[in-house]
Amino acid sequence: GQQVMQIPQYQHVQEGEDFTTYCNSSTTLSNIQWYKQRPGGHPVFLIQLVKSGEVKKQKRLTFQFGEAKKNSSLHITATQTTDVGTYFCLPFGNEKLTFGTGTRLTIIP
Amino acid sequence: DTEVTQTPKHLVMGMTNKKSLKCEQHMGHRAMYWYKQKAKKPPELMFVYSYEKLSINESVPSRFSPECPNSSLLNLHLHALQPEDSALYLCASSQEGRVSYEQYFGPGTRLTVT
């Protein structure tokens, strides 16, 4: 199955700046999940989006599912050093279970 | 208990060795997964067990042999591995035997093949 691209691949931000990662699919998805993996750690589930245009918030994190259910984004407001890690999307559709390529976030204190 | 445990944490093995990785969960989940993760890459699905039956095998070489003795345990038997098989091996589980449920990952086994 084709791997879903995430952009950017890397993002370095000053602490307090915002951060956004995008997950783009060429096919319509049934739902999408987001995971965070800290350096040296394992993936941890963050959220699942199911409905077209869905927006969910978790404190400083905002997750969106596109109207066409082909793309999704994760936005972090006012980043903190605890946000460091790689963020992966996991899209569900007709293709096999394949994580997105990931976006690695580093924070400059 | 929302924990998935994996043993060992680290494993170094030669290409002629036989070893096993173990994974355990006590959340009553009925789907269990093996992933392989190389450095700076996303986890790559290897196998899925649903209700203790192998439901997905992503064309993994036969030197990797999964086993699900019961609903709480998942093993990955390794034999005649190659150096390129060195990676972090992650186990995960999800409820109801459906892959679209959130997955709980274990801490992984870091495998080095010499």
Side-chain angles (χ1 to χ4, degrees):
Chain A
Q2 191 173 2
Q3 190 152 51
V4 169
M5 293 303 298
Q6 280 184 249
I7 53 171
Q9 190 175 1
Y10 302 97
Q11 185 83 63
H12 311 285
V13 300
Q14 289 275 353
E15 189 174 6
E17 291 183 340
D18 292 358
F19 159 77
T20 305
T21 173
Y22 299 90
C23 183
N24 299 313
S25 169
S26 57
T27 59
T28 303
L29 305 171
S30 57
N31 56 304
I32 192 164
Q33 295 174 354
W34 284 92
Y35 290 79
K36 175 185 178 181
Q37 186 172 19
R38 291 177 183 269
H42 56 275
V44 174
F45 175 82
L46 295 175
I47 206 88
Q48 174 159 277
L49 304 171
V50 178
K51 299 176 185 174
S52 167
E54 188 169 15
V55 178
K56 286 189 177 180
K57 294 192 176 186
Q58 289 178 351
K59 298 183 181 177
R60 295 177 295 103
L61 276 60
T62 302
F63 303 84
Q64 286 192 292
F65 203 7
E67 293 288 342
K69 298 182 76 172
K70 287 186 176 181
N71 52 65
S72 181
S73 64
L74 157 57
H75 179 80
I76 303 178
T77 304
T79 53
Q80 299 175 358
T81 54
T82 53
D83 296 323
V84 163
T86 302
Y87 293 84
F88 293 105
C89 64
L90 180 57
F92 291 86
N94 295 324
E95 303 281 334
K96 72 175 188 178
L97 198 63
T98 305
F99 278 86
T101 50
T103 296
R104 178 171 297 185
L105 173 64
T106 54
I107 309 283
I108 306 163
Chain B
D1 182 1
T2 57
E3 194 181 43
V4 176
T5 58
Q6 288 187 246
T7 55
K9 288 186 180 176
H10 301 274
L11 178 63
V12 179
M13 61 185 288
M15 289 189 284
T16 58
N17 292 158
K18 282 186 184 181
K19 297 284 184 184
S20 297
L21 309 184
K22 297 185 184 301
C23 174
E24 191 166 4
Q25 57 89 14
H26 294 288
M27 294 177 278
H29 288 175
R30 303 312 299 270
M32 295 186 77
Y33 312 71
W34 279 115
Y35 287 89
K36 173 183 176 180
Q37 186 175 30
K38 296 284 239 181
K40 301 184 181 182
K41 295 291 185 184
E44 244 180 86
L45 185 65
M46 300 174 73
F47 303 103
V48 181
Y49 272 83
S50 179
Y51 294 96
E52 297 152 55
K53 288 185 170 32
L54 184 64
S55 62
I56 298 177
N57 177 345
E58 292 292 356
S59 304
V60 179
S62 60
R63 57 185 184 268
F64 295 91
S65 174
E67 179 197 18
C68 189
N70 60 55
S71 59
S72 301
L73 292 173
L74 186 66
N75 298 323
L76 186 62
H77 302 298
L78 314 173
H79 173 54
L81 294 194
Q82 304 296 311
E84 60 264 27
D85 296 321
S86 298
L88 179 68
Y89 287 84
L90 293 161
C91 172
S93 69
S94 63
Q95 65 176 6
E96 300 292 337
R98 289 174 58 185
V99 297
S100 59
Y101 279 81
E102 65 182 273
Q103 295 180 43
Y104 292 77
F105 283 81
T109 293
R110 192 159 297 280
L111 174 68
T112 303
V113 182
T114 59

